[in-house]
Amino acid sequence: MKKRRLRLFQIRGELNRSAYTFGVAGIFVLLLLIWSIFSYGNVVGRTFLPTPDQVLIQLLTQLFNPAFWEHIGISIYRVGMGFLLACALGIPLGILAGTFRIAESIVVPPTEFIRYMPATAFVPLIMVWAGIGEGAKIMVIFVGCFFQLILMVADNTRAVSNDLLQVSYTMGAKRWQVIEKVLIPALLPDLMNTLRLIIGWAWTYLVVAELVAANSGLGFSIMKAQRFLNTDMIFVGIIIIGLLGLVTDRVFAFCHKRFFPWQEGRA
């Protein structure tokens, strides 16, 4: 028993699937138990903390409501477009900054400065520049992801072994051949992990984005429910956003495992 306990708490030790599944299930059961104690026991009023069955009933009700699926669809669109726009601009800039020192000197310092500014602070400016349409909501998510993405991709690029690049030069490769045939393929596994983190941030900025004069989306549903103290609906919105984020995370994890199987332990 003592040896087994030591194995469980060994640094970077192996854990069989059944033990891992038990740990995952256990933490969710514990959270549900704490929630039930506080709600069913009236430790917190049900106006402020609905019971699990209230939330479940509300969730099932909304899943049969076509309007709710429209809110889900528009939120997925906004997150997807903001994320893709950040990738389209941020990945090339990050690769340049991680490859050439001159590009690093131009790109990294202002990016380091701006990334500490909360995306919510840009909302008034975005409304002035982009109005209150779909572009503004996508832009909020873009701002929340773009600057972090540049720096992380630059780090991914710098992490590629310099010896690998020097060997390529030795074998006669030209500069752009080294970038195209060696550097970019070598950074792809780490880049996939970076994108997996960034899509998570994109989902966290969704509610902020849908504060911009929205009349649709999951964030709008949450804010509308808050006005009328429909806390069960607030819980439903939060849970759905969490589930959608989890699905996208698992998609990226699957792609990492599928395309880079030699790094399976890092996905």
Side-chain angles (χ1 to χ4, degrees):
M1 181 64 71
K2 186 176 180 180
K3 289 183 178 180
R4 183 181 179 184
R5 191 181 302 117
L6 289 173
R7 284 201 305 269
L8 288 176
F9 293 99
Q10 182 181 3
I11 296 175
R12 295 185 180 178
E14 294 295 328
L15 189 66
N16 60 53
R17 182 171 294 275
S18 60
Y20 185 86
T21 303
F22 178 80
V24 172
I27 190 62
F28 279 102
V29 170
L30 178 62
L31 291 173
L32 182 60
L33 179 62
I34 294 172
W35 179 10
S36 299
I37 291 171
F38 276 86
S39 58
Y40 289 119
N42 290 318
V43 177
V44 179
R46 295 190 182 184
T47 302
F48 305 102
L49 183 65
T51 59
D53 65 289
Q54 283 180 283
V55 174
L56 180 60
I57 291 170
Q58 181 67 253
L59 175 60
L60 294 175
T61 301
Q62 293 302 320
L63 290 178
F64 286 98
N65 181 3
F68 187 68
W69 285 100
E70 291 179 11
H71 289 312
I72 292 175
I74 193 65
S75 290
I76 292 174
Y77 168 76
R78 289 164 180 164
V79 169
M81 291 303 295
F83 172 74
L84 290 175
L85 183 59
C87 290
L89 298 177
I91 291 175
L93 286 174
I95 292 174
L96 284 174
T99 303
F100 302 107
R101 294 288 290 180
I102 183 63
E104 179 182 348
S105 69
I106 296 170
V107 173
V108 171
T111 305
E112 286 275 13
F113 173 67
I114 297 172
R115 75 166 175 147
Y116 290 107
M117 301 178 183
T120 50
F122 288 93
V123 170
L125 278 176
I126 290 172
M127 293 178 70
V128 171
W129 293 339
I132 58 175
E134 285 301 310
K137 299 166 184 61
I138 292 169
M139 191 61 62
V140 172
I141 296 172
F142 166 79
V143 169
C145 298
F146 175 66
F147 300 102
Q148 304 286 352
L149 179 61
I150 290 176
L151 297 176
M152 294 180 72
V153 173
D155 284 341
N156 295 155
T157 306
R158 284 191 289 266
V160 175
S161 172
N162 193 55
D163 292 339
L164 186 64
L165 304 183
Q166 294 304 320
V167 168
S168 304
Y169 282 123
T170 301
M171 297 181 68
K174 303 299 183 183
R175 179 183 304 162
W176 290 107
Q177 288 178 318
V178 171
I179 293 174
E180 179 185 357
K181 302 295 185 182
V182 180
L183 182 65
I184 292 177
L187 70 85
L188 286 179
D190 286 338
L191 178 61
M192 181 69 74
N193 283 330
T194 293
L195 296 180
R196 181 180 170 187
L197 292 173
I198 294 296
I199 192 67
W201 283 339
W203 280 109
T204 64
Y205 283 112
L206 175 65
V207 176
V208 175
E210 292 181 342
L211 290 175
V212 184
N215 56 9
S216 62
L218 291 170
F220 167 76
S221 298
I222 291 173
M223 299 310 298
K224 183 179 177 182
Q226 181 264 336
R227 292 190 210 119
F228 300 101
L229 285 179
N230 293 334
T231 48
D232 52 349
M233 185 61 199
I234 295 174
F235 270 70
V236 168
I238 293 171
I239 290 170
I240 292 296
I241 291 174
L243 289 174
L244 290 171
L246 180 62
V247 168
T248 53
D249 178 83
R250 290 295 89 198
V251 168
F252 275 95
F254 172 80
C255 290
H256 191 283
K257 183 177 179 180
R258 173 67 177 80
F259 297 116
F260 314 110
W262 61 90
Q263 290 199 340
E264 181 178 342
R266 299 180 59 185

